[in-house]
Amino acid sequence: MSNTDFVLAVEDLTVSFDGFKAIDKLTLYVDRGELRVIIGPNGAGKTTLLDLICGKTRASGGSIKFKNQEMSGLQEHRIVRAGIGRKFQTPSIYENLSVFKNLEVSFPKGRSVFGALAFKCDDAVRSRVQEVVEEIGLAGQLNAEAGLLSHGQKQWLEIGMLLMQDPELLMLDEPIAGMSVRERELTAELLQRIAQNRSLIVIEHDMEFVKRIAHKVTVMHQGKILAEGSMDKVQNDPRVIDVYLGH
Ligand code: ADP
Ligand code: MG
């Protein structure tokens, strides 16, 4: 397949670590505006898949097309600039800086820093910070030190830092781990808001949460796709119950 409407087209992707295929000829398509959840047992290759897409790990074979443009082989910062944002499991925020500063420093740097342009740029940054802080529900904490936020708020701040880059595809690895029930609810709402004009890939274990947010679910097992479809469909798939949900 050469030209597609998919935001992301992963085809025959393979990576081996010392002969062990962590991802094995995996093919996956994500639509524009889709919120895809990836589930599967530990060691299935979920995190490795995100590592490959964001350029942290290099594939041994296959292709990763983002908006029809080949991403595999590009350096990580080029992939970010192309429009793919990725959140890791542990938040990497600047604890000593305010929420405002954390967001401000995440704004992609412009090409010119001269005179009137720089001023205009400051304005653009401030208005983008305002939009993002409202989207992540931290408008009331704009001047708070990031280190004093709750665990959930820190996770939202990091999502906000990614949103500052205006990614078209956002990938999140177990975003609700360690969150309270209320924080989980708010995160589900946040991800649904984000999916209104972006695509999302979310790795998650909490089935209630998955049910609530997923447009479609992909089940991975041993570096391959075991099942894919609606939550209802995969939940009732005997192979999925056997390797994952039954435990
Ligand atoms: P998941 O996120 O689904 O739990 P991972 O993608 O973290 O699974 O891991 C898939 C498999 O690949 C595991 O067996 C893991 O040990 C292995 N693996 C992941 N990254 C590396 C690496 N950099 N070097 C060697 N083995 C790795
Ligand atoms: Mg993982």
Side-chain angles (χ1 to χ4, degrees), residues 46-47 89 173-174:
K46 305 179 298 295
T47 297
Q89 275 168 282
D173 200 347
E174 305 192 18

Side-chain angles (χ1 to χ4, degrees), residues 45-58:
K46 305 179 298 295
T47 297
T48 303
L49 175 61
L50 299 198
D51 288 346
L52 287 163
I53 297 169
C54 77
K56 187 174 176 250
T57 301
R58 218 156 250 239

Side-chain angles (χ1 to χ4, degrees), residues 77-95:
H77 71 273
R78 299 293 298 265
I79 295 173
V80 168
R81 211 177 305 155
I84 300 180
R86 190 261 176 96
K87 187 189 173 311
F88 290 87
Q89 275 168 282
T90 39
S92 55
I93 57 170
Y94 303 99
E95 301 256 338

Side-chain angles (χ1 to χ4, degrees), residues 122-135:
D122 279 356
D123 263 4
V125 178
R126 261 192 292 274
S127 75
R128 182 77 192 126
V129 168
Q130 197 54 42
E131 276 170 27
V132 167
V133 84
E134 280 164 25
E135 185 158 13

Side-chain angles (χ1 to χ4, degrees), residues 138-204:
L138 293 179
Q141 281 77 30
L142 196 56
N143 297 309
E145 199 177 303
L148 301 176
L149 298 174
S150 73
H151 170 74
Q153 289 173 325
K154 286 181 185 175
Q155 302 283 338
W156 302 331
L157 175 56
E158 197 185 8
I159 292 171
M161 291 164 76
L162 292 167
L163 291 175
M164 287 300 292
Q165 315 249 3
D166 204 17
E168 273 179 67
L169 171 65
L170 195 59
M171 306 192 292
L172 309 171
D173 200 347
E174 305 192 18
I176 62 166
M179 282 191 185
S180 68
V181 172
R182 180 65 187 143
E183 286 174 337
R184 284 164 189 239
E185 281 169 13
L186 291 170
T187 304
E189 288 168 14
L190 171 60
L191 299 189
Q192 282 160 336
R193 262 197 314 278
I194 292 172
Q196 282 170 8
N197 42 29
R198 301 172 205 279
S199 310
L200 280 162
I201 298 178
V202 180
I203 294 175
E204 198 40 73

Side-chain angles (χ1 to χ4, degrees), residues 11-94:
E11 293 178 334
D12 291 327
L13 192 67
T14 301
V15 70
S16 340
F17 300 119
D18 300 323
F20 165 73
K21 284 184 178 162
I23 298 290
D24 190 4
K25 283 201 163 283
L26 184 140
T27 292
L28 172 92
Y29 301 102
V30 177
D31 281 323
R32 288 171 195 266
E34 183 183 345
L35 198 170
R36 174 71 57 93
V37 179
I38 300 179
I39 63 173
N42 282 331
K46 305 179 298 295
T47 297
T48 303
L49 175 61
L50 299 198
D51 288 346
L52 287 163
I53 297 169
C54 77
K56 187 174 176 250
T57 301
R58 218 156 250 239
S60 331
S63 84
I64 301 167
K65 290 203 181 73
F66 175 63
K67 298 192 298 176
N68 292 312
Q69 203 194 329
E70 185 58 55
M71 293 289 117
S72 62
L74 293 187
Q75 287 190 302
E76 282 185 85
H77 71 273
R78 299 293 298 265
I79 295 173
V80 168
R81 211 177 305 155
I84 300 180
R86 190 261 176 96
K87 187 189 173 311
F88 290 87
Q89 275 168 282
T90 39
S92 55
I93 57 170
Y94 303 99

